Amino acid sequence: MIKFRAAFALAGAVLLSACGLNSVPTAEENAKARWADVQTNYQRRADLIPNLVATVKGAAGSEGKILNDVVSARAQATQIQVSGDDLTDPAKVSAFNRAQNGLSLSLQRLQEAYPQLQSQGNFKTLMDQLEGTENRIAISIRDYNTAVQAYNTRIRTFPDAVGAKIFYGSKPMTPFQAQAGADKAPTVDFGNGS
């Protein structure tokens, strides 16, 4: 009888270990960590913008509208926060994405509006840092989406799906997606009729 109980306990442990008891939360935490990387890189970009704006103001004080647009877009982008617990809500992830895309467009307009600033060292350094940050953002989004794909696959496939549903009540996470029309270059209009 003791051997039967030991064998039953061992079989139960093997079955539970195959049900995602450890792999589901590990995959979830990995996806949340990749989301934190996305947020860190967006914050880095937001932190660089005040220096960029100060540099542009020093060189061209009369072109206030584009600067105001950048400052407003930065404020809007930093107001929308998505925590790891919000990653299952497509609306929150989409709102975050829209705000960040608005800031990207404002920065592009700023760079195109001030071609004479390209030769200034501070402006060039800041724009290079922003470009590098944009690359970091793209990589962190790719890594996040890979982690979300792994997590979503894990919670939907046997045997991990059993543990994911019974023990954790796991829900699929929302991948970061490009906004509609992101495949087309934006039209830049500085309001000067050209």
Side-chain angles (χ1 to χ4, degrees):
M1 187 67 165
I2 293 177
K3 286 184 179 181
F4 177 72
R5 286 184 182 167
F8 184 72
L10 181 61
V14 168
L15 286 174
L16 285 177
S17 69
C19 290
L21 287 181
N22 291 326
S23 60
V24 170
T26 300
E28 180 180 18
E29 291 304 315
N30 183 44
K32 287 180 178 180
R34 298 298 70 81
W35 180 251
D37 292 343
V38 170
Q39 290 180 311
T40 298
N41 287 316
Y42 275 128
Q43 185 61 51
R44 182 182 195 283
R45 178 176 72 174
D47 291 344
L48 287 171
I49 290 172
N51 294 330
L52 180 67
V53 169
T55 300
V56 173
K57 279 183 178 177
S62 63
E63 300 289 339
K65 182 183 178 341
I66 294 172
L67 290 175
N68 288 335
D69 289 348
V70 170
V71 171
S72 295
R74 177 189 179 271
Q76 185 177 14
T78 57
Q79 285 178 350
I80 298 177
Q81 298 296 316
V82 176
S83 71
D85 295 333
D86 296 329
L87 296 176
T88 58
D89 185 345
K92 289 182 180 179
V93 174
S94 180
F96 181 86
N97 191 13
R98 277 192 307 277
Q100 296 302 330
N101 285 341
L103 182 53
S104 293
L105 181 60
S106 293
L107 288 171
Q108 181 181 6
R109 287 180 180 150
L110 176 69
Q111 189 172 12
E112 291 173 0
Y114 294 103
Q116 71 276 15
L117 291 176
Q118 296 296 331
S119 62
Q120 291 189 7
N122 288 342
F123 183 81
K124 178 146 180 46
T125 299
L126 287 167
M127 289 309 295
D128 288 346
Q129 286 185 22
L130 282 168
E131 182 179 339
T133 300
E134 293 294 331
N135 289 334
R136 289 178 187 188
I137 290 168
I139 290 168
S140 62
I141 288 171
R142 182 198 63 207
D143 292 348
Y144 167 72
N145 282 344
T146 300
V148 166
Q149 179 186 15
Y151 170 77
N152 288 346
T153 300
R154 184 167 299 279
I155 67 169
R156 292 179 56 211
T157 55
F158 184 80
D160 292 341
V162 174
K165 297 278 189 244
I166 293 172
F167 295 106
Y168 301 112
S170 300
K171 295 178 184 171
M173 289 185 174
T174 304
F176 202 90
Q177 298 176 351
Q179 292 291 318
D183 57 335
K184 297 180 181 94
T187 302
V188 178
D189 178 13
F190 300 115
N192 57 8
S194 53

